Amino acid sequence: MDARLPARKLVRPRRWLSTLGAASLLACGDSGSLEEGMEPPSLIEACEPEAVEVLETESLIYRSYGRDFQGICPGSFEAAQAHASWVEQIWGRPQVGDEVRLYASREEPCWPCTSGALACVEERVAHALTVPHRHELTHLVRDRCPSLIEEGFASIYGRYFSYYETVDEIENAITVSDEGALPGTYYGIGGAFVAFLISRDGMESLHQLCDLDIPNTLSLAEGLEEVYQLPLNELIAEFEAAPGKGNAYLKQELACDALEAGAELEVFTSPSAWTMDMGCGAPGVEGGLGQYTMAQRLIELPTDGPYALEMLADHDYRIQVEVRHCERENMASLLYATEFVPLVAEEPRELIFDHLIAGTYVLRVRTDEDSEGNNGPGQGELAVGFSLDSWP
């Protein structure tokens, strides 16, 4: 896995015309008439305003609407490109979609996502308010699958610090999957089921399932029986008997895969100390001014036992910290923990982990809010010193 990231390239905005002549009649929010026999254009075809800016990375194209790219951390585009390339490699098929449309708000006239949604993919175009939106990128770069499988896959290769509860029964989720867009209630159990299927039979069987005409010709239940050569009740019994962990444990880690593949990444072995500039614009920091910032480090623990993570910030800020073990069993991390930490300028804060397993972890930090309720610090506005050692 190549850990290098390409340079960004800004290109001049272009104006797009719909392939359907009727598109001009149905521009964003406008009404119009179609000649008899003409098919109405899709939402995406009917609403294509001029982008404020266009930016290209190695395999993604960004177009901004109602805003420019100012305020988005450069590390966001790097993280998005790395994620897209990683998912393509994991999925094992060529990337499908490449366009990401970034909006100033959900009030933009051409925002196509459902009420309350922060992002979506429509017609192989991703629409979002933030970069990167890993969940939607995971949809974008792959062929679509039945909704339970699609959302389940994206839930374990999607956003960090955003986890779904594993609720309801898998039989219900399989039935609901045939009815259209999957309610978020089922994302967690979908992720657990997808992890089970991949662990059981690998990615190729999942490809076979996604290649079936579900739900038009077959139901998801029938497709599962065809691909996995078992009555559905027996497959479900296997799933329910398998050791299960929540969505936070099942979240996959690019850095862990890259390290395993031989990438030369910096790893801090306990006892160790380092400083993280959490400001937008600092190397490796993603997010945006006024939104949030996030960064990560790889850490190595030589022995099992309790550990202390001490933090010293130069500004008051509430942050969230998570650690996830790289070693996995049936796609689930051996250990995951998270905590909110209120930092007070120049006052040490200590986070005690009662029992950690020896090995390599991703330690991830995300800003939550400062003393005035703001978030998304600029470069140099929040530095946090970390020290890690066994405890006591």
Side-chain angles (χ1 to χ4, degrees):
M1 180 178 295
D2 189 351
R4 295 173 299 174
L5 296 169
R8 300 179 296 145
K9 180 176 69 175
L10 275 170
V11 299
R12 298 180 64 183
R14 295 176 292 177
R15 187 180 297 274
W16 301 273
L17 298 177
S18 169
T19 56
L20 296 178
S24 61
L25 300 175
L26 297 176
C28 310
D30 293 338
S31 61
S33 59
L34 293 173
E35 295 180 13
E36 186 176 353
M38 288 186 63
E39 290 291 330
S42 69
L43 178 63
I44 304 305
E45 290 173 326
C47 195
E48 292 190 342
E50 183 175 1
V52 175
E53 281 189 332
V54 179
L55 183 148
E56 297 180 5
T57 62
E58 180 182 342
S59 67
L60 296 172
I61 302 172
Y62 296 88
R63 309 190 199 281
S64 66
Y65 299 98
R67 60 163 300 164
D68 54 26
F69 295 122
Q70 295 299 313
I72 300 175
C73 308
S76 295
F77 297 105
E78 296 169 356
Q81 179 58 62
H83 184 81
S85 298
W86 175 52
V87 171
E88 179 188 18
Q89 181 178 6
I90 292 294
W91 185 237
R93 288 182 170 181
Q95 178 175 324
V96 174
D98 64 1
E99 183 175 343
V100 180
R101 298 187 181 183
L102 184 66
Y103 298 80
S105 75
R106 287 174 288 193
E107 303 305 314
E108 288 296 315
C110 290
W111 174 256
C113 307
T114 57
S115 176
L118 297 176
C120 64
V121 171
E122 295 288 343
E123 302 172 41
R124 295 187 175 176
V125 176
H127 306 265
L129 303 175
T130 60
V131 180
H133 199 295
R134 288 178 171 85
H135 186 100
E136 301 307 331
L137 281 173
T138 300
H139 290 317
L140 179 67
V141 303
R142 297 167 37 259
D143 296 309
R144 298 294 282 190
C145 296
S147 63
L148 178 67
I149 306 303
E150 183 64 31
E151 297 299 348
F153 192 95
S155 82
I156 61 177
Y157 284 95
R159 301 168 65 194
Y160 300 113
F161 295 110
S162 177
Y163 306 119
Y164 305 99
E165 293 185 18
T166 305
V167 297
D168 215 323
E169 297 183 352
I170 189 62
E171 296 99 322
N172 294 337
I174 291 171
T175 300
V176 171
S177 179
D178 290 332
E179 298 174 0
L182 191 74
T185 307
Y186 298 101
Y187 284 19
I189 198 165
F193 192 55
V194 167
F196 161 74
L197 294 177
I198 295 173
S199 299
R200 184 186 189 275
D201 285 87
M203 204 68 77
E204 184 55 40
S205 292
L206 205 62
H207 290 168
Q208 293 175 28
L209 181 65
C210 294
D211 288 342
L212 296 175
D213 187 22
I214 298 172
N216 297 320
T217 304
L218 296 174
S219 68
L220 177 55
E222 292 169 330
L224 287 165
E225 290 183 336
E226 179 176 319
V227 171
Y228 294 96
Q229 296 294 294
L230 274 180
L232 182 62
N233 64 324
E234 292 185 21
L235 186 66
I236 288 174
E238 274 191 35
F239 167 66
E240 292 177 341
K245 286 187 174 180
N247 190 248
Y249 285 83
L250 287 168
K251 195 74 71 173
Q252 304 300 295
E253 291 282 1
L254 185 158
C256 296
D257 285 358
L259 195 66
E260 184 178 354
E264 295 183 3
L265 303 177
E266 186 174 24
V267 181
F268 294 89
T269 301
S270 178
S272 187
W274 65 93
T275 298
M276 294 171 68
D277 184 341
M278 295 297 300
C280 187
V285 174
E286 62 183 81
L289 295 173
Q291 295 180 335
Y292 72 93
T293 59
M294 186 170 78
Q296 65 184 45
R297 294 291 185 272
L298 286 165
I299 60 173
E300 180 78 24
L301 306 183
T303 60
D304 294 356
Y307 283 83
L309 181 68
E310 185 175 285
M311 291 154 278
L312 183 64
D314 59 358
H315 289 81
D316 295 356
Y317 233 105
R318 187 171 184 251
I319 63 171
Q320 187 176 2
V321 176
E322 69 174 11
V323 292
R324 184 177 287 107
H325 204 291
C326 281
E327 188 176 343
R328 295 176 177 271
E329 184 176 357
N330 296 324
M331 294 191 73
S333 172
L334 296 185
L335 192 147
Y336 169 80
T338 187
E339 192 73 47
F340 282 97
V341 183
L343 300 175
V344 178
E346 309 305 333
E347 291 186 12
R349 285 288 187 270
E350 197 170 57
L351 183 57
I352 305 298
F353 297 96
D354 292 332
H355 183 76
L356 295 180
I357 303 168
T360 306
Y361 291 75
V362 174
L363 182 148
R364 185 173 287 106
V365 179
R366 177 182 168 121
T367 60
D368 184 57
E369 63 178 13
D370 64 12
S371 57
E372 297 180 354
N374 300 315
N375 200 356
Q379 188 167 4
E381 293 180 1
L382 178 64
V384 184
F386 291 84
S387 62
L388 175 68
D389 203 350
S390 57
W391 184 86

